[in-house]
Amino acid sequence: HITQHTGGAKAHQIFLRGFDAEHGQDLAATLDGIPLNEVSQVHGQGYLDLHFLIPEAIKRIKVLKGPYDARLGNFSTAGSIDIQTLSTMNDTARIKLGAGSFNSFSALGELSTGDDSRGLYLAVQANTTDGFTKPGDLKAARTFLKWHNTDSHGWTMDAVYAGYAARSDAADTLPLDWINQGLVSRFGAMDDSDKVDADRHLLGLTLTGPFQDGKLKITGYYNFKRTKIFSDYTYYFFNDHYGDQLEQSDMRHYGGANIAWTKAYSFESSGDLISELGMQWRTDAVWQTQANTVKRVRFNTMNHYRFLEHNMGIYASETWLASDRWMFVGGLRYDAHVVDAHGFQDVKELDIYTNMVVIHNDEPRDSLAFANTVSPKISAIYSINENWRLFANFGRGFVTRPARDQANKKELFPYGVTGAEIGSRWTGFDNTLSISSALWWAHKERELVFDSEFGGTVFRGQSHRIGLELETRWAPFSWMWLATDVFLTRARLETEGSWQPIPNTPWLMMTNLVAIQHPSGIQACVRGRLLGPRDHDMGLSSDPYYLIDVVLAWETKRIGLHLEIENILNSVWYDSVFAYPVRPTPDSEIDRGLQVTPGTPFAVNFFVTIKI
């Protein structure tokens, strides 16, 4: 379940496996093998900005749940997303134009040459909108280029480039009490100068081919990313004169390489064995600043850091096909982590003689630290028959500590996550019906939760999660699909011997889907999604919501017409919900209620695609 708040350029908030992954801290993502999470990002660890993606350029998305794959390291605790892109398309060129609610306009151009063995794919997209909040303007441009080639020896080369620039204004959070009292519009703003800007340039090169009777895959990459966020969560709570607007600036260059070698063995008496050995390396050079601002003008720099962060991982994975019924997967991963941080930070201390908080400005911070962790993984799959399988998974994952925190406390231990699950999957009726279920558990040694004062996440104790999932898929016809997913989760924080709900974690999520893709060219999709009640701090809770989106389309060989309707029932819902005290104006009382961002109201977008 993915939501978007604070403008159209800020990283999404993602819910998976009982985790509110904030902006990516518990969810690892890759694009054609290139890691996308930003380590030690100023707004949140593992910051995952997916707005640079062009949907039409995506071939498939593979989601893995849990920390069970040895190939996955940092951030893959709730799970991972592997995004694979197109190398070619059936048409030579496409032009797609769109218009919709809130003065939204978009244009997309695609070009494809060659075939599956050699060719080039190019996509360029631009869009602009006034947004449904005031302010909510967004202007963005994206480019994606992929070139691939397979030679006569079986080696394949894939080169990719992705470019992105976005400028957006944002309404940010609002006190729900003030919305209910009519003191501020649901789509209004308390501070109309909040905004989010982002730029990205990504390069990647992948070589795949035969080596030593196996398969060798090498990926090298470079990424430049710049993000600037102006946000105001508490208004005049901390500073009743200048206000609490916060600037968070992050600029980074990062690069690295992934190497994996896979080989299959066959044994007459004990089945088949597939071995994979891999090594991953990544270095980030980062400059980041947090500052107090008024209308985006700085009046105090809270902290500034420059650091080099190195991450290296090696792993081994063995898949043993023991018989027609049994399959075992075992893996072991080792990760090393080095941070060299330099900078300065304002420090708050309590003077025990005056009982007053004293602020020391621009205290220097320098640190060099090393940490490592070992992550075991094991899975077992038992086939009762050709239609029914049982499975059990166990694994340990981790999330590295932000470099800024490490520079203050001189420690670098990662936050470990241990997970396990048992489940089954059944398919029948000529594979037209699939039913799967899983009972899972996860324990995180240190839970990071959003904090309004820092505009990021803070340590809140250990966490425990247990959940039950049920997924159904049915294709009554070759051109129709129906699906329902239900997820139940109990998530608790363990702090000083007491148990508390993990803030912002829903105990119930559900998705319902009916999709049609008829040979005549008629396409349709109706999707309903439920996010259940959520507990928050200060004993508060937020209401559930159920949204229905509709897509209608007609495709021919040369033209396509698409109509998208979001929130067709125009339900009143809130995208993000937090609980912390705020002072909306300098002379108002402190509001100790929920702070919210509005969800999308009824919206219509229409697209025309011309194919050549």
Side-chain angles (χ1 to χ4, degrees):
H1 186 94
I2 298 178
T3 65
Q4 174 64 42
H5 65 273
T6 314
K10 189 178 180 182
H12 297 89
Q13 184 178 9
I14 304 174
F15 298 88
L16 179 69
R17 267 285 161 99
F19 285 83
D20 170 11
E22 292 282 351
H23 298 297
Q25 68 178 357
D26 291 295
L27 185 66
T30 57
L31 177 77
D32 291 336
I34 301 169
L36 300 177
N37 297 78
E38 298 175 42
V39 298
S40 300
Q41 217 267 4
V42 67
H43 188 71
Q45 179 66 314
Y47 190 83
L48 179 58
D49 183 359
L50 299 176
H51 291 293
F52 75 100
L53 296 173
I54 299 175
E56 288 78 2
I58 297 175
K59 183 178 182 180
R60 66 170 61 91
I61 300 175
K62 183 179 181 181
V63 178
L64 294 178
K65 300 176 183 178
Y68 310 128
D69 194 320
R71 292 169 292 183
L72 302 172
N74 202 6
F75 308 121
S76 59
T77 52
S80 67
I81 303 174
D82 179 23
I83 302 166
Q84 300 171 14
T85 61
L86 289 175
S87 297
T88 185
M89 62 181 184
N90 295 329
D91 305 303
T92 301
R94 294 177 187 163
I95 298 174
K96 184 177 181 180
L97 303 175
S101 302
F102 319 116
N103 290 323
S104 300
F105 301 95
S106 65
L108 168 69
E110 295 175 274
L111 178 67
S112 178
T113 63
D115 52 31
D116 291 337
S117 62
R118 174 181 294 182
L120 179 143
Y121 172 80
L122 171 66
V124 179
Q125 183 192 56
N127 69 289
T128 178
T129 181
D130 291 345
F132 59 87
T133 61
K134 301 300 178 185
D137 304 54
L138 168 69
K139 293 179 175 61
R142 303 164 183 84
T143 301
F144 179 78
L145 175 67
K146 186 172 185 177
W147 176 80
H148 72 282
N149 178 63
T150 302
D151 65 18
S152 58
H153 302 289
W155 279 87
T156 298
M157 176 184 292
D158 290 288
V160 300
Y161 166 77
Y164 168 64
R167 303 293 180 263
S168 73
D169 295 325
D172 228 319
T173 57
L174 298 171
L176 182 59
D177 292 338
W178 278 47
I179 294 175
N180 293 335
Q181 296 171 31
L183 299 176
V184 63
S185 166
R186 178 161 59 105
F187 302 111
M190 305 292 291
D191 186 339
D192 60 6
S193 64
D194 292 346
K195 71 181 283 112
V196 181
D197 295 340
D199 300 274
R200 183 194 289 272
H201 295 283
L202 177 151
L203 291 167
L205 180 64
T206 299
L207 297 173
T208 307
F211 180 78
Q212 295 293 316
D213 297 325
K215 178 182 177 181
L216 182 65
K217 184 175 182 179
I218 304 173
T219 298
Y221 57 88
Y222 161 79
N223 204 322
F224 166 79
K225 181 71 190 307
R226 177 166 46 205
T227 307
K228 181 172 286 190
I229 301 172
F230 290 93
S231 56
D232 196 341
Y233 301 103
T234 51
Y235 308 112
Y236 293 92
F237 184 80
F238 294 104
N239 191 321
D240 59 8
H241 179 68
Y242 291 108
D244 299 341
Q245 189 183 65
L246 181 69
E247 174 194 343
Q248 295 179 309
S249 299
D250 188 286
M251 184 180 74
R252 66 185 56 224
H253 301 265
Y254 72 85
N258 304 329
I259 302 174
W261 178 67
T262 307
K263 185 176 180 179
Y265 303 87
S266 182
F267 304 97
E268 293 183 2
S269 59
S270 56
D272 298 329
L273 187 68
I274 302 173
S275 299
E276 180 172 338
L277 302 176
M279 180 176 69
Q280 300 158 349
W281 159 75
R282 169 178 172 174
T283 292
D284 290 65
V286 183
W287 295 260
Q288 59 183 219
T289 300
Q290 289 195 112
N292 302 114
T293 56
V294 177
K295 301 296 182 181
R296 305 179 204 157
V297 177
R298 293 183 185 178
F299 67 86
N300 174 57
T301 299
M302 298 169 61
N303 57 68
H304 172 78
Y305 284 98
R306 64 188 188 278
F307 57 84
L308 283 174
E309 184 164 344
H310 309 277
N311 289 275
M312 188 274 290
I314 56 175
Y315 68 89
S317 178
E318 301 289 342
T319 301
W320 179 29
L321 305 174
S323 67
D324 293 338
R325 293 184 179 273
W326 282 103
M327 181 172 74
F328 299 94
V329 182
L332 189 65
R333 182 181 180 91
Y334 171 81
D335 286 271
H337 180 54
V338 179
V339 172
D340 184 7
H342 306 275
F344 60 84
Q345 179 162 351
D346 294 349
V347 178
K348 296 181 180 180
E349 291 183 351
L350 179 66
D351 188 324
I352 61 175
Y353 299 103
T354 64
N355 202 33
M356 300 289 289
V357 174
V358 179
I359 299 178
H360 302 281
N361 291 320
D362 302 338
E363 288 288 312
R365 289 289 185 268
D366 297 284
S367 180
L368 175 64
F370 168 82
N372 58 58
T373 186
V374 176
S375 306
K377 326 272 186 175
I378 187 168
S379 300
I381 300 95
Y382 177 71
S383 299
I384 296 177
N385 52 49
E386 62 180 9
N387 296 325
W388 191 10
R389 289 185 174 184
L390 307 178
F391 59 86
N393 298 314
F394 173 85
R396 182 172 171 82
F398 68 95
V399 175
T400 53
R401 289 191 65 223
R404 187 177 62 212
D405 295 352
Q406 172 263 318
N408 283 291
K409 297 183 179 179
K410 310 296 182 183
E411 300 162 343
L412 199 56
F413 49 83
Y415 302 141
V417 176
T418 303
E421 68 176 317
I422 56 173
S424 72
R425 181 178 297 276
W426 177 86
T427 58
F429 302 101
D430 295 327
N431 292 324
T432 61
L433 178 63
S434 171
I435 301 175
S436 64
S437 61
L439 177 64
W440 60 271
W441 163 83
H443 168 249
K444 190 172 184 179
E445 294 174 349
R446 287 170 172 80
E447 187 70 41
L448 299 175
V449 176
F450 173 82
D451 184 273
S452 61
E453 180 177 2
F454 301 102
T457 51
V458 296
F459 168 55
R460 291 287 296 271
Q462 300 185 53
S463 66
H464 300 263
R465 294 171 173 85
I466 186 169
L468 179 64
E469 300 183 351
L470 176 65
E471 302 178 3
T472 61
R473 305 284 186 272
W474 181 37
F477 306 100
S478 60
W479 45 268
M480 175 181 281
W481 299 266
L482 295 89
T484 294
D485 298 343
V486 180
F487 308 96
L488 303 173
T489 304
R490 182 175 176 84
R492 292 292 183 268
L493 283 171
E494 181 183 358
T495 56
E496 298 179 353
S498 65
W499 295 87
Q500 305 173 20
I502 299 178
N504 209 28
T505 303
W507 67 267
L508 170 64
M509 295 198 306
M510 180 175 66
T511 299
N512 313 111
L513 176 74
V514 178
I516 294 173
Q517 193 169 9
H518 197 271
S520 65
I522 297 175
Q523 301 178 13
C525 177
V526 180
R527 184 186 68 164
R529 51 193 173 105
L530 168 70
L531 194 73
R534 288 173 280 175
D535 290 314
H536 302 278
D537 288 323
M538 302 190 297
L540 301 174
S541 62
S542 54
D543 296 329
Y545 60 78
Y546 186 80
L547 305 176
I548 298 177
D549 302 324
V550 176
V551 176
L552 302 174
W554 179 59
E555 290 276 354
T556 70
K557 186 175 181 180
R558 294 302 177 203
I559 194 169
L561 304 176
H562 294 252
L563 178 67
E564 298 179 357
I565 306 174
E566 294 184 73
N567 192 3
I568 194 170
L569 300 180
N570 199 24
S571 301
V572 175
W573 66 290
Y574 293 101
D575 203 336
S576 294
V577 183
F578 306 103
Y580 51 82
V582 306
R583 191 189 301 274
T585 64
D587 55 355
S588 66
E589 296 293 327
I590 294 176
D591 181 275
R592 300 185 183 277
L594 295 176
Q595 314 302 320
V596 300
T597 59
T600 308
F602 176 85
V604 178
N605 293 283
F606 181 73
F607 302 91
V608 177
T609 303
I610 301 172
K611 310 171 189 178
I612 302 173

